[in-house]
Amino acid sequence: MLQAFVITVREGLEAFLIVAISLAYLRKSGRTELTRAVHVGIAAALAISAVGGYLLYNAANQELLEGPLAIVAAVSVTWMVVHMWRAGRRMKGDIEGRLASSSGRAGAAAFAGVFLFTVLMISREGIETALLLLQLKETLNLVAGAALGLVGAAALASLWSRYGHRVNLGLFFQVTAIFLFVFVVQLLIAGVHEMSEQNMIGSLSEPIHEATESWGPDSAFGHALTYALVLLPAGWLAFKALTGGGTQKAGQPPHTAGAR
């Protein structure tokens, strides 16, 4: 449940921020007629994400897919965290730049450009979320955690849009990045173990399977990783609070509130 909550609150927040920045830019630039393209794009992206998640969840030969999908999810999380940590400061400027290019056209071309931009940006977040949630097995807790995560993401996005100078998004993304990096370790171990169980690693399958058999969720190592999911982010949060790094600097624009 905790993993589902953090995954959806982070991915959901990014999606909400993309929408908020896009709508604010279109209003500021006097292209309010294109806000409908954003709304239609959101609906299309949600449909694409739902279909993608359904196909992944109901794919044939799930046992054969579990290992490779876990590795893909681990790589996706790592890329996403590193990218956002490096490019988070430029998020608002990048989105506005792409929208300026898309909305600068005339008539239907402008609508299509903004629509496609919204679909690509939001569906990317949705497919990433589906891929990550697929790695979690407890359906009821997963649904509850995901629902709470979406509510939390919406609340954070609302606070950012109204009180951006008080919301330290930089610290938020740092804390969730630490959580997700620990989750990546879990995904890699699970993915390699499942692939070795399906004999996908050739002659190394059996020794790798035996070596990773004792690293499961119920082992001492698995319990240590579970505790690390909570303790490491909490420790970083406490460290930033003690060193004064947990507060937003006065006058600092909300979209440049520290690296993610």
Side-chain angles (χ1 to χ4, degrees):
M1 182 173 178
L2 179 62
Q3 287 119 317
F5 173 79
V6 174
I7 289 168
T8 52
V9 78
R10 183 184 176 105
E11 297 286 343
L13 178 59
E14 289 182 21
F16 281 123
L17 290 179
I18 290 168
V19 172
I21 292 170
S22 299
L23 292 176
Y25 173 79
L26 291 174
R27 293 191 184 101
K28 183 177 66 174
S29 60
R31 302 301 305 272
T32 54
E33 74 276 7
L34 293 176
T35 57
R36 183 171 175 271
V38 176
H39 295 146
V40 176
I42 293 169
L46 291 176
I48 291 171
S49 301
V51 171
Y54 176 83
L55 291 176
L56 285 172
Y57 188 78
N58 292 281
N61 299 321
Q62 277 283 357
E63 291 185 356
L64 293 176
L65 290 176
E66 282 184 1
L69 284 179
I71 300 297
V72 171
V75 173
S76 174
V77 171
T78 303
W79 178 88
M80 178 258 296
V81 170
V82 172
H83 172 73
M84 291 307 299
W85 197 299
R86 295 173 59 188
R89 291 177 181 271
R90 305 190 306 272
M91 180 180 180
K92 185 172 183 287
D94 287 348
I95 291 174
E96 290 183 347
R98 294 178 190 177
L99 277 175
S101 175
S102 299
S103 62
R105 305 165 188 169
F111 185 95
V114 174
F115 168 78
L116 289 174
F117 168 80
T118 305
V119 169
L120 289 173
M121 295 293 284
I122 303 301
S123 60
R124 182 190 68 183
E125 304 295 339
I127 293 297
E128 280 183 358
T129 303
L131 184 59
L132 295 175
L133 292 180
L134 188 65
Q135 309 307 314
L136 306 178
K137 308 300 182 184
E138 298 180 9
T139 305
L140 183 60
N141 288 340
L142 186 153
V143 171
L148 289 173
L150 286 176
V151 171
L156 281 172
S158 176
L159 288 172
W160 180 85
S161 63
R162 295 185 181 185
Y163 312 106
H165 63 290
R166 299 180 185 177
V167 179
N168 192 336
L169 287 183
L171 181 61
F172 168 80
F173 282 110
Q174 289 173 9
V175 171
T176 53
I178 294 170
F179 178 97
L180 289 174
F181 273 131
V182 179
F183 187 48
V184 163
V185 175
Q186 291 182 323
L187 288 177
L188 288 173
I189 293 173
V192 171
H193 182 75
E194 291 297 327
M195 290 175 68
S196 65
E197 187 171 335
Q198 298 299 325
N199 201 31
M200 293 181 178
I201 318 178
S203 60
L204 295 177
S205 293
E206 186 173 346
I208 289 178
H209 184 269
E210 292 178 358
T212 56
E213 187 70 35
S214 59
W215 295 0
D218 296 326
S219 67
F221 182 75
H223 289 157
L225 282 178
T226 301
Y227 295 141
L229 283 170
V230 177
L231 295 178
L232 289 181
W236 180 254
L237 189 61
F239 170 76
K240 297 296 282 187
L242 291 173
T243 58
T247 56
Q248 179 112 337
K249 295 180 180 179
Q252 188 179 13
H255 63 280
T256 60
R260 298 184 186 182

